[in-house]
Amino acid sequence: MHVILDALAMIGLSYVMGFLFYGFYRQFSARVQRRWGPSIWQNFFDNMKFLLKSETLSHGPMFFFGPMIIAAGAITTVLFVPFLKDSDWLQGFSHSGNLILIVYLLVVGPLGNALAVGSSGNPFGVMGVTRGLTRLMGLEVPFFLGLALVMLQHETTSVHAIMAAQDGIAQWNLFTNPIAFMVILLPFIASQNASPFDVVGAPVEVYAGPRVEFGGRLLGVLMTQNMMMTIAKLVLVVDLFMGGATNIFILIAKAFSLFLLTAAISLAFPRLKTEQTVDFFWKVPLGLGVLGVVATVWFPWGA
Amino acid sequence: MSLIVKMLFLAVSLSPALTLLVWGDAVAWPLLGGIELTFDLNPVSGFFMLLLALGAPLVALPMLRGAHEGPAYGLYALLLLGMQLLLLAGDFIGFFVGWEIMTWSSYLLLLRSERSDLEGAQSYILFNLASAFLLLAGILGFYSLTGDFRIEALASAGPAEQLILAALFGGAFLIKVGTLPLHIWVPRAYDQAPDTFSAFLSALMSKMGIYGLVLLPTLFPQGLAGLLGSLLNGPAAGYILAWIGVITSIIATFKAISQEDMKRLLAYSSIAQVGYITTAIGVGSSLALGGALFQALVHTLVKLLLFITFAGIILQTGQRRFNDLGHLIDRMPIAFFAVLIGIIGLAGMPPLPGFAAKYLIFVALIDARWLLLLAAMLLSSTAAFIYCYKLIYAPFLGHANSPEAKAATEAPWPYLVPQVMLMGLLVLLGIFPGLAIELVIDPVLIGLGMAALGAPSPGELATAYGGYDGVVLMSVFGSAFMIVTGLFFLLRGRMRRAGSAYDLSFAGEVPTAETPLHYGAGMGRELRRIPLVDWILSRTTTRFQAGLTRQSLAASGLLGGLYRRDPQTWILLAVLLFAVALTLMLLAGGL
């Protein structure tokens, strides 16, 4: 019973946080661009509108099951990330998982998406998927290297143990291992599909992208999982670098400050081409990561 | 008559399983000069025998289909015999004999394919002979140091001698697993071999090289660490081996992405996956070897599954290029699921066992403090997603691109039975990684004198760095999937199937049957815009190979220059020299 309630609470919290954060982002970007922007609830309204559409076009069974796989992947990811530390609540199944598993679960979504898009038979959609997978190849290397620095620092892959090791603000990995944070920050933005590393999603200037064929309720499911996934990733970074949180309010505050940082970076830079993104990740964050490895692992004064 | 032969053949293909089950005590067979051949099944060879026992009948089943092919059955039986001999051998003589039987019988099997050309066949036999000669040189070197052919640790040997032995044996086994730049025979052979036999080559024969690499550290008193000392938290000699493995897998992965032929893609992917195993063996810790063995097990199952499935597709359509297929999902649903399971395993995604293997290897690299290797390995393993996607998109999704693809039907049952069995095995291993550790991996680690990994429960994979529970993972994912799908149908509204395959959002146009809509072989072409990938893909090892050829020609020219045209003079000289030497020795009071 506790497990079911806990799981429902995690899913609900990540959904609510998801649409509020995205609503805020739309307001924030509008104000930066001197527009009024939509209300903070707009993402919720949009999502409900999609989910309640009366008609949905499908291109075959795999086209339908793809979004289901993505949503199941997102829920699984949320349930394997511990939201709070030193608490019985909002833990999900995180004790049966670890950091490397979570990093791989983050990828289930893109792959399920890839299957559905391929099944739609739209070559522009497949092009978008290939771009997404290419970007994944670029971002994953520095992202994982940064996380590996943290795993090495604490000699564990357990998110719980890493959280527990950061007692006070001075022990936050953000301060004890700043190189790792700098290494993962930009790939983290890319993994959120945020500017400047985004892949063109739906009808924009080029009528192409992974979402091009989806509409109605299927698009609603995709939007829901996207918002939940964003929160899962934010909470993961809060757990790993900002000491986790002991209650929901601290969690929201920490996740929000991190979101504000990434949103500010996103708004300041225009979109890069996919291959530029990959090249950038393999030069700057990965180069920094290599320096980090040399400084902390190879030399005796490090860990 | 032919039915009896076929049944007999199937029975022969079960012989590795029989050996595994009923093998009793060691068998010794005295050879001349006090040397005896010993055959025994130890845990290490037992593991590879298990792979053979699993794979041999599954490959034999589709081979049985169609016309009766006596010679092929005979050669396959001989091949199985050679591999069992190799695995059971307790000394290098039996090992070498088994190795040679394996090489020659597989070569003759390869020649039976109508697709094999002179170049492919020659490169297969030349590289494998080079491997065998390196092995022979290593064995003779080993004998000169110990005076014994038994496979066990060297008692006394200087560091230089150990290094030379490691290089000779390592070279032999690395050629067999297709390490760059000595890989050139692999894509050719896997491509040209009879379609079902490619499964055997990739899944099982490449594992014999891995068997050798696993045995290699046991030849030295302190394993790999005794060779060049240690680096960070692992052996320095292993660091070199690990980089060889990782660079192999990165380059092979990008090569795989750029292939336009299904079997060639699988061949390059095989090189890349075996590269991970090489890396893990280089790390050498018990975690890493556990990962290497797990990866070997998963790779065997996945490659059997994929090669047999694609053999079925080639059988039904006659097409082997990504461009010429498409939209087989409706016509070959079992094959679709087989490839889906296969690529999830290949990509190392949870919840299938590929993830457990990757997890062990990653943790082992962190434990060894070899983070740069970890980053490099991650590059290859995420780039693998792209070719995995190509493997499922181009044949099964998108639009059918040839008349054969539009009319294809599911492959006959001898192809489907192995597919279904392998899918089941992969899913089971994914749910119960701990079971695999307890039953299959730990005995080998104990046999090698290392710490067992252990598993608290069948579903759990546990390491000192933390672990995960496959049962929980699979049930969470499964119930989430069912709940989401259920809720979706509870929502108001209805689903409508698109009117035709051309009912697409196509930039405001209406595509027709003439519009090129299939993205098959083009996928991944745009990767060349990334400077590093372009750099890798624009280089080939042909110049290295040509240089090798030039050097060996020059060397043989040098040797040939010693001989004059008139051999009589040389023989006379040799006889005279012999006589003088005898006389001298007699005078010195010897003999």
Side-chain angles (χ1 to χ4, degrees):
Chain A
M1 194 63 207
H2 174 82
V3 173
I4 295 172
L5 278 182
D6 193 42
L8 287 178
M10 286 173 90
I11 294 168
L13 180 68
S14 59
Y15 179 67
V16 173
M17 276 170 78
F19 73 71
L20 286 178
F21 276 29
Y22 266 102
F24 167 80
Y25 179 76
R26 287 172 76 170
Q27 267 284 323
F28 185 59
S29 68
R31 295 302 161 92
V32 168
Q33 296 160 357
R34 305 203 174 172
R35 293 183 282 117
W36 279 114
S39 117
I40 199 166
W41 299 97
Q42 189 60 44
N43 265 57
F44 178 66
F45 298 145
D46 286 354
N47 193 220
M48 283 299 133
K49 182 189 75 181
F50 284 137
L51 286 176
L52 298 174
K53 284 272 183 192
S54 60
E55 197 170 291
T56 303
L57 192 72
S58 162
H59 287 274
M62 204 57 226
F63 184 80
F64 167 75
F65 282 118
M68 304 300 132
I69 294 174
I70 309 169
I75 291 176
T76 313
T77 314
V78 166
L79 293 180
F80 273 86
V81 177
F83 275 41
L84 296 180
K85 81 170 168 185
D86 308 329
S87 164
D88 280 346
W89 287 95
L90 298 184
Q91 299 300 309
F93 300 91
S94 56
H95 286 286
S96 308
N98 61 59
L99 183 52
I100 298 179
L101 178 73
I102 296 171
V103 172
Y104 266 82
L105 281 176
L106 296 178
V107 188
V108 172
L111 292 187
N113 190 33
L115 287 180
V117 172
S119 184
S120 78
N122 191 323
F124 295 131
V126 181
M127 239 171 250
V129 165
T130 317
R131 282 181 189 162
L133 291 178
T134 309
R135 180 187 60 183
L136 187 73
M137 172 179 92
L139 74 92
E140 200 84 338
V141 182
F143 190 61
F144 202 91
L145 185 60
L147 296 184
L149 282 170
V150 175
M151 290 190 261
L152 183 67
Q153 182 191 356
H154 297 282
E155 301 218 319
T156 178
T157 60
S158 154
V159 183
H160 285 283
I162 294 174
M163 250 198 309
Q166 310 171 57
D167 279 334
I169 194 164
Q171 274 87 46
W172 284 12
N173 285 338
L174 183 59
F175 301 117
T176 58
N177 203 347
I179 296 180
F181 183 73
M182 285 195 286
V183 171
I184 67 133
L185 181 64
L186 294 178
F188 172 70
I189 293 176
S191 81
Q192 301 277 38
N193 194 25
S195 171
F197 309 115
D198 49 335
V199 166
V200 180
V204 202
E205 75 273 33
V206 186
Y207 198 55
R211 297 284 149 83
V212 69
E213 280 297 321
F214 292 98
R217 288 184 287 161
L218 290 175
L219 191 59
V221 171
L222 288 177
M223 188 178 173
T224 313
Q225 69 85 22
N226 189 30
M227 296 190 298
M228 286 168 58
M229 207 66 160
T230 303
I231 298 305
K233 289 174 195 166
L234 281 171
V235 173
L236 181 66
V237 174
V238 167
D239 285 352
L240 292 179
F241 287 96
M242 298 162 78
T246 42
N247 63 49
I248 293 184
F249 302 106
I250 297 180
L251 178 74
I252 293 177
K254 283 183 176 176
F256 184 72
S257 55
L258 186 64
F259 185 72
L260 206 57
L261 175 68
T262 59
I265 294 175
S266 294
L267 284 175
F269 296 98
R271 186 169 66 82
L272 293 174
K273 286 184 193 167
T274 313
E275 58 268 18
Q276 291 170 332
T277 304
V278 175
D279 199 36
F280 172 77
F281 280 142
W282 286 351
K283 281 178 182 155
V284 180
L286 187 60
L288 194 65
V290 171
L291 285 182
V293 171
V294 171
T296 58
V297 183
W298 285 16
F299 287 100
W301 61 76
Chain B
M1 179 61 199
S2 87
L3 188 70
I4 297 172
V5 173
K6 283 182 177 179
M7 294 311 288
L8 207 65
F9 175 63
L10 203 61
V12 169
S13 77
L14 290 171
S15 65
L18 202 68
T19 311
L20 191 64
L21 288 177
V22 302
W23 184 267
D25 294 331
V27 175
W29 185 39
L31 209 67
L32 47 125
I35 296 168
E36 55 176 25
L37 292 179
T38 51
F39 294 100
D40 198 7
L41 194 68
N42 58 36
V44 186
S45 57
F47 173 79
F48 289 91
M49 190 68 89
L50 173 73
L51 299 185
L52 192 61
L54 278 174
L58 294 181
V59 176
L61 201 57
M63 272 176 86
L64 282 177
R65 209 192 141 270
H68 166 79
E69 278 184 284
Y73 300 161
L75 286 171
Y76 190 73
L78 198 63
L79 176 60
L80 287 181
L81 173 80
M83 288 169 81
Q84 290 179 63
L85 205 63
L86 190 168
L87 288 175
L88 290 173
D91 56 273
F92 276 118
I93 299 179
F95 190 90
F96 186 72
V97 171
W99 189 273
E100 283 293 283
I101 295 179
M102 174 176 82
T103 303
W104 283 99
S105 51
S106 60
Y107 174 60
L108 295 177
L109 263 173
L110 183 73
L111 282 183
R112 293 183 53 80
S113 159
E114 62 244 24
R115 284 176 50 81
S116 69
D117 60 13
L118 190 66
E119 204 184 348
Q122 273 184 347
S123 61
Y124 181 82
I125 196 63
L126 278 178
F127 274 92
N128 277 292
L129 280 182
S131 158
F133 287 142
L134 283 175
L135 184 64
L136 190 62
I139 291 172
L140 293 178
F142 186 84
Y143 181 72
S144 70
L145 286 175
T146 59
D148 199 357
F149 281 113
R150 267 175 298 162
I151 304 178
E152 56 188 20
L154 284 167
S156 58
E161 289 154 342
Q162 289 193 13
L163 269 183
I164 292 173
L165 270 192
L168 288 175
F169 281 119
F173 300 136
L174 286 177
I175 292 179
K176 194 75 195 168
V177 299
T179 306
L180 262 77
L182 303 169
H183 68 294
I184 207 147
W185 62 279
V186 175
R188 283 184 190 158
Y190 292 10
D191 179 22
Q192 296 177 357
D195 293 332
T196 43
F197 186 58
S198 295
F200 194 87
L201 281 176
S202 162
L204 298 169
M205 276 187 55
S206 67
K207 298 301 173 301
M208 296 301 122
I210 295 297
Y211 174 59
L213 283 178
V214 171
L215 282 188
L216 187 58
T218 63
L219 293 182
F220 307 108
Q222 285 123 18
L224 288 174
L227 288 178
L228 288 171
S230 63
L231 183 85
L232 300 174
N233 216 359
Y239 196 68
I240 300 171
L241 185 65
W243 268 113
I244 293 176
V246 158
I247 291 173
T248 298
S249 46
I250 291 178
I251 296 175
T253 302
F254 286 119
K255 289 272 183 205
I257 295 172
S258 64
Q259 295 306 313
E260 299 189 356
D261 182 293
M262 299 192 296
K263 281 178 73 181
R264 281 186 82 87
L265 192 154
L266 285 178
Y268 275 109
S269 123
S270 187
I271 297 175
Q273 299 282 325
V274 177
Y276 301 151
I277 307 179
T278 312
T279 306
I281 292 174
V283 182
S285 62
S286 114
L287 265 177
L289 268 181
L293 296 171
F294 213 125
Q295 174 74 13
L297 175 66
V298 175
H299 180 251
T300 300
L301 298 178
V302 164
K303 278 289 145 65
L304 282 173
L305 177 61
L306 288 176
F307 268 112
I308 291 176
T309 311
F310 281 109
I313 295 176
I314 294 171
L315 178 79
Q316 294 303 91
T317 62
Q319 302 286 0
R320 20 187 319 133
R321 289 161 54 83
F322 288 114
N323 262 352
D324 301 331
L325 291 163
H327 206 75
L328 289 176
I329 176 170
D330 293 341
R331 301 177 189 285
M332 305 178 85
I334 298 180
F336 170 75
F337 277 109
V339 174
L340 184 61
I341 298 279
I343 62 163
I344 295 176
L346 203 58
M349 295 292 299
L352 287 194
F355 175 71
K358 286 258 174 72
Y359 179 74
L360 287 175
I361 298 177
F362 287 161
V363 170
L365 283 171
I366 293 176
D367 186 49
R369 310 255 181 295
W370 293 356
L371 293 191
L372 297 185
L373 262 169
L374 176 70
M377 191 170 155
L378 214 81
L379 168 61
S380 135
S381 93
T382 25
F385 292 155
I386 300 176
Y387 73 64
C388 285
Y389 183 50
K390 192 169 181 172
L391 270 181
I392 199 155
Y393 169 76
F396 291 103
L397 307 173
H399 296 264
N401 234 8
S402 66
E404 292 88 354
K406 280 175 188 153
T409 50
E410 196 74 79
W413 68 266
Y415 287 80
L416 296 183
V417 171
Q419 287 175 32
V420 174
M421 285 170 69
L422 288 164
M423 278 193 268
L425 261 177
L426 278 169
V427 173
L428 264 183
L429 276 183
I431 303 177
F432 301 111
L435 199 66
I437 296 280
E438 287 269 304
L439 290 182
V440 185
I441 312 286
D442 271 353
V444 186
L445 290 178
I446 294 168
L448 287 170
M450 300 182 135
L453 294 176
S457 74
E460 245 175 297
L461 183 75
T463 66
Y465 281 73
Y468 75 96
D469 194 325
V471 178
V472 174
L473 181 65
M474 194 67 120
S475 35
V476 170
F477 187 82
S479 13
F481 180 76
M482 282 190 285
I483 291 170
V484 170
T485 315
L487 280 177
F488 188 86
F489 280 114
L490 284 182
L491 285 174
R492 182 169 76 88
R494 63 196 175 88
M495 301 285 292
R496 191 169 62 78
R497 181 82 192 247
S500 86
Y502 304 109
D503 191 358
L504 296 173
S505 315
F506 199 71
E509 311 260 333
V510 180
T512 60
E514 278 73 47
T515 320
L517 289 174
H518 198 62
Y519 195 45
M523 185 180 298
R525 204 175 278 161
E526 62 276 14
L527 279 184
R528 294 197 73 144
R529 292 192 207 128
I530 303 166
L532 176 69
V533 179
D534 184 50
W535 188 84
I536 289 176
L537 288 181
S538 59
R539 261 149 197 77
T540 59
T541 51
T542 23
R543 270 170 57 201
F544 172 81
Q545 317 271 359
L548 210 61
T549 317
R550 253 198 329 275
Q551 295 306 327
S552 27
L553 280 179
S556 43
L558 207 63
L559 272 177
L562 287 178
Y563 292 97
R564 301 271 307 271
R565 253 190 227 139
D566 37 358
Q568 302 93 323
T569 330
W570 282 94
I571 293 170
L572 191 65
L573 213 66
V575 170
L576 277 178
L577 210 67
F578 188 57
V580 170
L582 271 182
T583 324
L584 281 177
M585 279 169 85
L586 273 178
L587 287 177
L591 279 186

